[in-house]
Amino acid sequence: KSNGSDSKKLRVEDRMEAPPSRVLHIRKLPNETSESEVIALGLPFGKVTNILTLKGKNQAFLELGTEEAAITMINYYSTVTPHVRNVPVFIQYSNHKELKTDSGNQRAQAVLQAVSAVQGGGTPASGSIVDLTAASSPVLRIIIDNMFYPVTLDVLQQIFSKFGTVMKIITFTKNNQFQALLQFNDPPTAQQAKIALDGQNIYNSCCTLRIDYSKLVNLNVKYNNDKSRDYTRPELPAGDGQPAMDPNMAAAFQGKDSNSLLGKIPGGLSPLNAAAAAAAAAGRVALSGHSGASGVLLASNLNEEVSNDISTPSRRVYGDAQRVKILYNKKDSALIQMADANQAQLAMSHLNGQKMHGKPIRVALSKHTSVQLPRDGLDDQGLTKDFTNSPLHRFKKPGSKNFQNIFPPTTTLHLSNIPTDVSEEDLRLLFSNAGGTVNAFKFFQDHKMALLQMSTVEEAIQGLIDLHNYNMGDNHHLRVSFSKSTI
């Protein structure tokens, strides 16, 4: 146990030695780790621009497109240990500000070329290595090995939707194995999902994903039920499909391996737990056992005049915050009590290091297990607020679509509940007045929803804080959340 603690301590100390850099140093890699496996660690956080592997030393350097992406990656992996081939690896900032690799590093350059094509929406050039050959189909064939516990269509959708828009899924059993066909909106998205997820465990030590490209280019789905789903046609009949299995039937799986997409199978995998775990899946790692973990966050380095702002994205985007307390002697810090530990983990992984009012905020799990309300008759100058009965909670209702729409902060905001008489110009003006520049705007067909793109992530965060639940008139309260789409 002490060795594990020492390793963790060493990792944190090493990470603090070098200042932030877009080049990251990865150590303790397993023997024969491929370039694509190293690149997959960074894929969910942004564009990967270079890689250098030191195979004799079991180390690698990974260069991301921006320092901001590297900071997000370090923050995420400082709370959830990254694994490659079931082996924990160590990631820290490098002293190098950029990687200069010679032309002899051809294999790595081929991998990078393929990944760049995927990220840019193109297709890789010929000559890429086998596991990065160009995908000609947006349909993936998925086989689940070691399926000791049930895997549902919804679980697959939650995991794969982190890489792009899942259009259709068909599940079936063939040769006594659970299999699925899953169609993305385009081949590059299917390729990126395959690179990141092939060989990963959905649950600890079991339910391994084996992914290949299908020869089909389009799926024909007749029924929307627990066996098949066409997300583009919600009006399809249920047919003779059986209702989805009650997740409470899945017994708790006691395993120590944390290199899985959904971690241990809980007694009941609530939609929010699944959404939190699926968000972690984008990083190829799990929210490993949070039993007994705190649901209280400590947020610091806040702007003292607007310390309550931090509670807005925590409270309304990544979970239901119950109470918020600004610290009396340190008003740039606040305690935020979420509904459970998974919500706290989700908010922390997405918000830590993000800029608000020009300052990068710090979000960590607190040693406190709850936020205490002031005793009766005691005036705490309004520093403690109780949101337990707030009507704005998004995650009270089991099965709500909100569980599927949890994304990291981005420049693009999803707006909904827009009154019919509100124009694009009205919304552009509203968000410009919140501080920032609106770069792009797009109404959905019914004009009740829209996408709006700000010039920076910081401006988007501020827009969400200021305008979520904004009264547009006639009791239409604007709903604002982060979107994974671009305009």
Side-chain angles (χ1 to χ4, degrees):
K1 214 165 185 180
S2 61
N3 288 342
S5 302
D6 291 344
S7 300
K8 193 171 280 188
K9 185 177 177 184
L10 177 68
R11 174 161 55 95
V12 173
E13 286 173 353
D14 284 348
R15 188 165 58 85
M16 293 173 68
E17 279 181 11
S21 163
R22 66 192 184 100
V23 179
L24 301 177
H25 182 202
I26 304 169
R27 298 183 290 118
K28 303 282 181 81
L29 288 164
N31 293 331
E32 306 305 321
T33 297
S34 68
E35 285 89 348
S36 58
E37 287 174 299
V38 176
I39 289 171
L41 288 170
L43 270 180
F45 303 94
K47 188 175 177 63
V48 176
T49 50
N50 211 342
I51 181 174
L52 175 64
T53 55
L54 309 174
K55 298 214 167 165
K57 295 184 177 180
N58 297 86
Q59 298 180 19
F61 290 93
L62 192 69
E63 180 186 276
L64 296 179
T66 65
E67 190 176 292
E68 189 177 48
I71 291 171
T72 303
M73 180 171 166
I74 284 284
N75 285 335
Y76 184 83
Y77 287 137
S78 67
T79 59
V80 184
T81 304
H83 286 71
V84 173
R85 300 190 183 189
N86 294 326
V87 175
V89 299
F90 301 88
I91 304 176
Q92 65 197 66
Y93 294 119
S94 167
N95 289 316
H96 301 288
K97 290 300 177 189
E98 64 176 327
L99 277 184
K100 293 178 181 175
T101 52
D102 57 39
S103 57
N105 192 16
Q106 291 179 349
R107 178 187 167 90
Q109 293 309 311
V111 177
L112 269 175
Q113 187 182 18
V115 172
S116 297
V118 172
Q119 292 178 323
T123 52
S126 60
S128 299
I129 59 172
V130 175
D131 60 345
L132 284 165
T133 48
S136 57
S137 168
V139 180
L140 295 176
R141 182 171 62 93
I142 303 159
I143 297 174
I144 310 292
D145 277 347
N146 302 319
M147 193 166 141
F148 299 139
Y149 295 93
V151 174
T152 66
L153 179 148
D154 290 325
V155 165
L156 291 176
Q157 193 273 341
Q158 285 166 339
I159 292 171
F160 282 83
S161 67
K162 297 302 157 186
F163 296 87
T165 303
V166 174
M167 313 289 280
K168 305 171 186 178
I169 304 177
I170 297 173
T171 63
F172 54 95
T173 300
K174 185 178 180 182
N175 300 329
N176 291 322
Q177 278 191 311
F178 177 84
Q179 300 190 24
L181 292 170
L182 184 145
Q183 181 176 338
F184 278 108
N185 55 332
D186 58 31
T189 305
Q191 185 176 24
Q192 190 171 0
K194 179 184 182 299
I195 292 169
L197 295 176
D198 188 24
Q200 297 300 303
N201 296 331
I202 296 177
Y203 297 115
N204 285 353
S205 306
C206 68
C207 302
T208 307
L209 291 166
R210 304 293 178 202
I211 305 172
D212 215 332
Y213 301 115
S214 170
K215 292 177 182 176
L216 300 171
V217 292
N218 186 48
L219 298 179
N220 182 21
V221 176
K222 296 180 180 178
Y223 303 113
N224 281 340
N225 52 40
D226 69 323
K227 302 282 195 303
S228 62
R229 196 79 50 85
D230 186 337
Y231 296 96
T232 67
R233 299 181 64 197
E235 75 281 359
L236 286 177
D240 57 357
Q242 299 299 310
M245 185 201 77
D246 180 356
N248 287 306
M249 291 172 64
F253 180 60
Q254 301 302 323
K256 293 181 181 178
D257 174 20
S258 64
N259 186 27
S260 58
L261 298 174
L262 295 185
K264 297 176 183 176
I265 296 182
L269 188 66
S270 75
L272 187 63
N273 291 347
R284 296 167 54 92
V285 288
L287 299 172
S288 54
H290 283 298
S291 52
S294 170
V296 178
L297 296 169
L298 173 63
S300 57
N301 202 35
L302 307 174
N303 183 318
E304 289 192 26
E305 294 176 12
V306 284
S307 294
N308 260 327
D309 278 6
I310 179 60
S311 71
T312 303
S314 302
R315 196 168 78 231
R316 301 173 184 171
V317 180
Y318 300 119
D320 294 333
Q322 308 298 302
R323 294 173 182 171
V324 177
K325 184 184 189 72
I326 297 168
L327 303 188
Y328 181 78
N329 292 322
K330 196 168 171 38
K331 292 197 170 58
D332 70 343
S333 301
L335 291 172
I336 304 166
Q337 181 181 334
M338 306 299 291
D340 60 39
N342 278 318
Q343 292 187 20
Q345 174 78 33
L346 194 61
M348 178 178 67
S349 65
H350 286 326
L351 294 174
N352 186 35
Q354 296 290 346
K355 277 189 177 179
M356 287 176 57
H357 302 286
K359 298 165 69 176
I361 60 172
R362 299 282 170 252
V363 184
L365 292 175
S366 169
K367 62 184 179 184
H368 296 281
T369 55
S370 65
V371 172
Q372 299 297 320
L373 292 174
R375 290 192 297 273
D376 287 343
L378 190 68
D379 179 17
D380 78 340
Q381 302 172 16
L383 296 177
T384 307
K385 294 192 177 180
D386 188 358
F387 300 102
T388 307
N389 298 314
S390 169
L392 300 179
H393 286 331
R394 293 186 178 193
F395 304 102
K396 273 184 178 178
K397 189 178 176 184
S400 165
K401 285 185 179 178
N402 292 331
F403 294 120
Q404 299 170 25
N405 297 316
I406 298 175
F407 307 110
T410 62
T411 55
T412 307
L413 296 171
H414 180 273
L415 316 180
S416 59
N417 207 31
I418 302 169
T420 51
D421 59 346
V422 171
S423 67
E424 174 180 337
E425 188 59 36
D426 293 332
L427 290 165
R428 280 180 174 268
L429 187 61
L430 188 65
F431 279 82
S432 297
N433 289 340
T437 305
V438 177
N439 280 356
F441 183 93
K442 179 184 174 186
F443 262 124
F444 284 64
Q445 202 166 4
D446 60 2
H447 274 230
K448 291 179 183 176
M449 295 190 290
L451 294 177
L452 180 142
Q453 188 174 331
M454 304 298 289
S455 61
T456 66
V457 172
E458 185 179 359
E459 289 177 5
I461 291 173
Q462 195 58 49
L464 184 147
I465 288 168
D466 291 346
L467 296 171
H468 176 69
N469 204 45
Y470 182 83
N471 191 345
M472 304 290 291
D474 294 330
N475 208 29
H476 274 87
H477 288 83
L478 188 65
R479 299 282 180 258
V480 185
S481 58
F482 298 115
S483 172
K484 64 181 176 183
S485 304
T486 54
I487 305 175

